Amino acid sequence: MLGKSELADDKLLNELAGEISREVAGRCLINESLARHTSFRIGGPAGLYVYPASVDAASSLVQLCRHRGLEFFTIGYGTNLLVSDDGFPGCVIDLADGCSRVVTFENGLETGAGVWLNEVVRIAAESGLAGLEKLAGIPGGVGGGMSMNCGAFGSAISDHLVDVDVMDADGTVSRLSKETVGFNYRKAPGLAGKTVLKARFNLPAAAPEDVLRVVDETVSERFRRNVMNLPSAGSVFKNPPGHFAAKLIESVGGKGMSVGGVEVSELHANFIINRRGGTAVDALELIRRIRRMVLQQYGVALELELRRVGSTDDPEID
Ligand SMILES: Cc1cc2nc3c(=O)[nH]c(=O)nc-3n(C[C@H](O)[C@H](O)[C@H](O)COP(=O)(O)OP(=O)(O)OC[C@H]3O[C@@H](n4cnc5c(N)ncnc54)[C@H](O)[C@@H]3O)c2cc1C
């Protein structure tokens, strides 16, 4: 793999960007700030940030990265990410351009991984297709949602899923059934190391006005309970079996605790808010402190729900 120091060399980055522009249909950015692509507004630059224009282009890009020893990962809308202040010394793949179609059927729909999940929820509701409405208001895309098995109010994105099209790390595309993926609470083990390209859902028919009403109610409830309009990465920790992470954090006095520019939300103790230009170093220190307090008082080791990108060598957290 090309290292951080090699990729700090603008000449090499320009050379790689030139090669990508020649061989991969799509847009390629150099030293793109990842703070611009994350809801936390934290993170240094990605060496290369590429929007492949199609599935074929995404496959060519992955092959090129492998050939050139360039580390890569697929980003969604960055709503569950904590990116290191050093950024990511490789290639970030964004499917917002290349996997952006939604097609509805009588009993379901097929959506590209790069589509904003709320757009899919709205299209389903307006088409009289039920089953996705409790996901309304979860920020992020379909691919990120699949990878996280996102969910809320007792519903998960995998509930009505039939199958997903995925690309392996060598660019090969295949179809995986929902059962093969083995979805679990905020986990999709069968998708590890793969890029989701498309997902198909079986959705029962319902009156559009009924589905839209539940969508509206769900969004209102979400805004009442969660911190939706300040920079954050959503829930920081998973709920440990038998507990709610937010309750544990609140009961050890975590609410309002701050480090540098970040602080634990007063509304929802499992959210860390980036109030004043916080950094990844600030966020990680606050995460460590909260974890220690909960571990000391309850003997529960909180596990991260958000995903870390970039230098992540931290045995206490990872
Ligand atoms: C205000 C707020 C509220 C939230 N509420 C909820 C909630 O109620 N429930 C919930 O579950 N989550 C919630 N989240 C977290 C987040 O919205 C979800 O996890 C979301 O599904 C992440 O999608 P994304 O596209 O932003 O993924 P990203 O954050 O970009 O990526 C998350 C992970 O998915 C991977 N990934 C992204 N795209 C693909 C792809 N195409 N193929 C394979 N892997 C991919 C990334 O590599 C990364 O590991 C909330 C976040 C915020 C900021």
Side-chain angles (χ1 to χ4, degrees), residues 39 73-81 95 113 138-141 143-145 147-148 150-152 186 194-196 222 226-228 232-234 271 305 307:
S39 53
F73 87 96
T74 307
I75 197 169
Y77 288 80
T79 62
N80 214 25
L81 297 182
L95 299 176
I138 299 181
S147 168
M148 301 301 305
C150 71
R186 302 294 173 266
K194 300 184 195 307
T195 292
V196 178
R222 168 172 288 284
N226 292 341
V227 194
M228 296 302 293
S232 82
F271 275 52
E305 176 169 322
R307 301 253 175 104

Side-chain angles (χ1 to χ4, degrees), residues 134-290:
K134 296 280 185 186
L135 306 176
I138 299 181
V142 171
M146 285 292 147
S147 168
M148 301 301 305
N149 193 19
C150 71
F153 306 117
S155 186
I157 195 169
S158 54
D159 288 352
H160 292 268
L161 184 75
V162 179
D163 52 32
V164 282
D165 286 1
V166 295
M167 182 170 68
D168 280 336
D170 63 1
T172 314
V173 175
S174 60
R175 184 162 289 180
L176 297 181
S177 69
K178 167 180 165 173
E179 292 68 34
T180 321
V181 176
F183 289 100
N184 213 316
Y185 170 62
R186 302 294 173 266
K187 276 196 179 120
L191 298 180
K194 300 184 195 307
T195 292
V196 178
L197 302 167
K198 261 186 205 167
R200 267 165 297 276
F201 296 88
N202 240 336
L203 302 170
E209 57 276 19
D210 291 345
V211 191
L212 284 164
R213 187 174 30 76
V214 181
V215 167
D216 289 345
E217 287 168 4
T218 306
V219 172
S220 303
E221 186 58 12
R222 168 172 288 284
F223 271 82
R224 204 176 61 74
R225 291 197 204 184
N226 292 341
V227 194
M228 296 302 293
N229 45 15
L230 291 170
S232 82
S235 292
V236 174
F237 300 104
K238 294 183 186 182
N239 287 324
H243 296 278
F244 287 104
K247 283 213 169 122
L248 293 175
I249 297 166
E250 185 173 349
S251 72
V252 298
K255 269 191 172 178
M257 254 173 69
S258 69
V259 174
V262 302
E263 72 182 40
V264 176
S265 162
E266 292 282 359
L267 178 66
H268 191 311
N270 199 15
F271 275 52
I272 291 180
I273 308 297
N274 180 8
R275 276 237 181 253
R276 299 169 295 273
T279 62
V281 167
D282 295 341
L284 286 169
E285 180 54 27
L286 189 51
I287 287 170
R288 266 185 225 110
R289 288 186 195 175
I290 296 167

